[in-house]
Amino acid sequence: MAALLVIVACHPQDTSCLQDPVAVVSYDTEDACYQALPKELQRAKAMADVIYGDCFPVAADLVAGRNIRQTINPEKLAVLDSPVNTAGPTEAQALVPPIPADRYGAMR
């Protein structure tokens, strides 16, 4: 099995991540991918503050004879530097419907 290393970048102040990966790199083996992972994450840290990466096994014939190394267009990373859009105060939302007071008697 070969492996692809995929690194994604996320906004530091909310839960959104870019749809396009920051980097995709091919390796001949999973072990080679995992050995390179810390170095590649450190390199990606220069592009974004919050990054995640992992190695994904793929059939060796998919990458045989090919050296895949794709990186994201730096302009796409600019969205991570923009402030989080907060339109104003919001009302808290319950995860479960409220229990009507008359269902179990008066609420205390």
Side-chain angles (χ1 to χ4, degrees):
M1 293 294 283
L4 289 176
L5 170 64
V6 178
I7 298 175
V8 296
C10 302
H11 198 285
Q13 296 174 351
D14 84 24
T15 59
S16 65
C17 297
L18 294 179
Q19 291 181 349
D20 296 330
V22 169
V24 177
V25 185
S26 64
Y27 293 91
D28 292 334
T29 66
E30 277 187 84
D31 287 342
C33 185
Y34 281 113
Q35 287 177 356
L37 181 60
K39 179 181 170 185
E40 293 293 338
L41 289 175
Q42 190 63 36
R43 182 181 296 177
K45 206 59 162 142
M47 295 185 263
D49 291 335
V50 180
I51 57 163
Y52 300 98
D54 204 352
C55 295
F56 298 93
V58 296
D61 58 336
L62 293 176
V63 295
R66 297 171 56 188
N67 185 17
I68 299 170
R69 181 168 196 92
Q70 297 177 339
T71 56
I72 194 169
N73 179 339
E75 292 174 5
K76 291 185 177 182
L77 291 171
V79 74
L80 296 177
D81 293 330
S82 62
V84 176
N85 183 10
T86 55
T90 59
E91 186 177 321
Q93 300 293 316
L95 296 177
V96 294
I99 300 171
D102 60 352
R103 183 172 177 188
Y104 295 110
M107 297 295 285
R108 297 180 191 168

